[in-house]
């Protein structure tokens, strides 16, 4: 939820700085599980930073649960995969790869609670667009979403 | 809902799947993932610190063939893979040794070696992202993604002569990385990052990026300081 405080330029500078820190330390490839996807422009600025950085990357936007309001009580947005997310992501899928192949599109997917139909639809379409990889978290014995998106653990069915 | 069982149920497992962490994944789920050509990434710093994860699983027999090493968040720890490598190597040795020490049967050999973790950070990382044929090792025909260490630095001197791989894993710091080439383009040379081009053709040195990062941080910190986190935790049902 920290990403609620970031505007697209914060995503750009933070991502660029992180990529440069990585190069400086001797890293040549990053799988970017992109949580900071709060809007179409957030997604695009994350990608732009990787393109500019010079590092090799699989840029993998995630479907992030967003804050609707902080006060007087915390409320999260209820939509599952926002229309703007799909519009932007599938447009990027048509464009990729970038920088002569140095930056490729992937998919970060932790939204298994959305169920079979939506999950299969996302995976099949991503694979048809030849995304480099599909990455998911898997933490401990309980839902892997519990520590990343605690809201999801009580708003949706989990095991 | 766990990733591997869901992927199996929906018949979506495949060689393009990369699971982060995978701690507490059962052996049968590991076998399932491996049989479909999938991979996992261990990120020691966050796993060692944050429940429910725990000790990285990258050396366990069911996982080792498909494992790789990663940096989870450079917001938490150094972005250096050598740091993660050192952490996972020593913690795997301790996890193995401690029960034996307690039982009065201290082991006579190390269970994992520097070369094992070096491979996790290089060729196995490449395979985990489907690029085992084009990056992850220095070989003719592969892409020019190269890292150069100074073998005469205070940290690397003598160690690099004895065992370059062990020197990188056990002795190196980012200061010893004097050159980095990605896709045939020099991105770090003589120990310093080269400038990057941003919108409008402007070139920025690292210090220019640092200034922007600090301004961004200050702005975000301003929001953070106004938050009533105990109340937010209660709203989330976590307090």
């Amino acid at each position: 939820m920290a990403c609620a405080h970031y505007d697209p330029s914060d995503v750009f500078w933070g991502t660029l700085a992180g990529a440069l820190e990585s190069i400086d330390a001797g890293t040549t490839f990053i799988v970017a599980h992109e949580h900071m996807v709060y809007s179409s422009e957030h997604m695009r600025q994350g990608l732009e930073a990787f393109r500019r950085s010079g590092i090799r990357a699989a840029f993998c936007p995630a479907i992030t649960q967003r804050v609707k309001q902080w006060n007087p009580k915390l409320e999260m947005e209820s939509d599952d995969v926002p229309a703007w997310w799909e519009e932007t992501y599938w447009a990027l899928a048509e464009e990729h790869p970038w920088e002569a192949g140095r930056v490729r599109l992937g998919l970060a997917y932790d939204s298994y609670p959305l169920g079979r139909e939506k999950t299969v639809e996302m995976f099949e379409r991503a694979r048809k667009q030849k995304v480099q990889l599909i990455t998911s978290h898997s933490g401990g014995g309980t839902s892997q979403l519990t520590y990343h998106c605690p809201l999801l653990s009580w708003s949706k069915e989990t095991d | 809902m766990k990733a591997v069982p869901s992927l199996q149920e929906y018949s979506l497992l495949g060689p393009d799947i990369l699971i982060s962490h995978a701690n507490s994944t059962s052996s049968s789920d590991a076998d399932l993932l491996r049989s479909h050509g999938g991979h996992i990434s261990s990120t020691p710093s966050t796993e060692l610190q944050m429940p429910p994860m725990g000790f990285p699983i990258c050396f366990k027999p069911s996982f080792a063939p498909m494992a790789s090493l990663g940096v989870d968040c450079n917001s938490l720890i150094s972005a250096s893979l050598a740091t993660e490598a050192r952490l996972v190597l020593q913690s795997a040795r301790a996890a193995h040794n401690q029960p034996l020490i307690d039982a009065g049967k201290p082991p006579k050999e190390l269970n994992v070696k520097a070369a094992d973790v070096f491979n996790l950070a290089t060729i196995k990382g490449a395979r985990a992202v489907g690029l085992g044929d084009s990056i992850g090792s220095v070989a003719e025909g592969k892409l020019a993604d190269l890292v150069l260490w100074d073998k005469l630095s205070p940290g690397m001197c003598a160690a690099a002569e004895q065992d370059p791989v062990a020197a990188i894993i056990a002795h190196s710091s980012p200061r010893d990385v004097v050159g980095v080439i990605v896709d045939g383009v020099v991105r770090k040379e003589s120990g310093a990052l080269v400038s990057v081009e941003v919108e409008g053709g402007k070139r920025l040195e690292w210090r220019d990026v640092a200034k922007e990062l600090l301004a961004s941080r200050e702005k975000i910190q301003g929001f953070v300081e106004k938050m009533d986190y105990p109340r937010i935790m209660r709203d989330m049902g976590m307090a």
Side-chain angles (χ1 to χ4, degrees), chain A residues 29-33 50 56-60 133 135, chain B residues 18 71 129:
Chain A
F29 186 95
I30 291 179
V31 173
H33 189 126
F50 279 111
R56 189 176 300 283
F59 178 73
C60 308
L133 54 94
T135 186
Chain B
L18 177 64
V71 173
V129 299

Side-chain angles (χ1 to χ4, degrees), chain B residues 23 42-45 47-48 54-61 64 69 83-101 107 109-114 116-117 120 169:
Chain B
N23 316 82
S42 289
T43 65
S45 295
E47 293 171 25
L48 287 167
F55 282 106
I57 47 74
C58 50
F59 296 121
K60 284 186 168 182
L69 189 72
T83 300
E84 295 302 292
R86 203 167 301 166
L87 266 171
V88 79
L89 187 64
Q90 300 304 80
S91 67
R93 287 167 169 172
H96 173 79
N97 292 353
Q98 193 66 53
L100 296 168
I101 293 167
E109 261 183 39
L110 293 168
N111 59 322
V112 284
K113 307 284 161 65
D116 299 325
V117 73
L120 281 176
I169 297 303

Side-chain angles (χ1 to χ4, degrees), chain A residues 47 114 155:
Chain A
L47 171 63
L114 292 180
S155 65

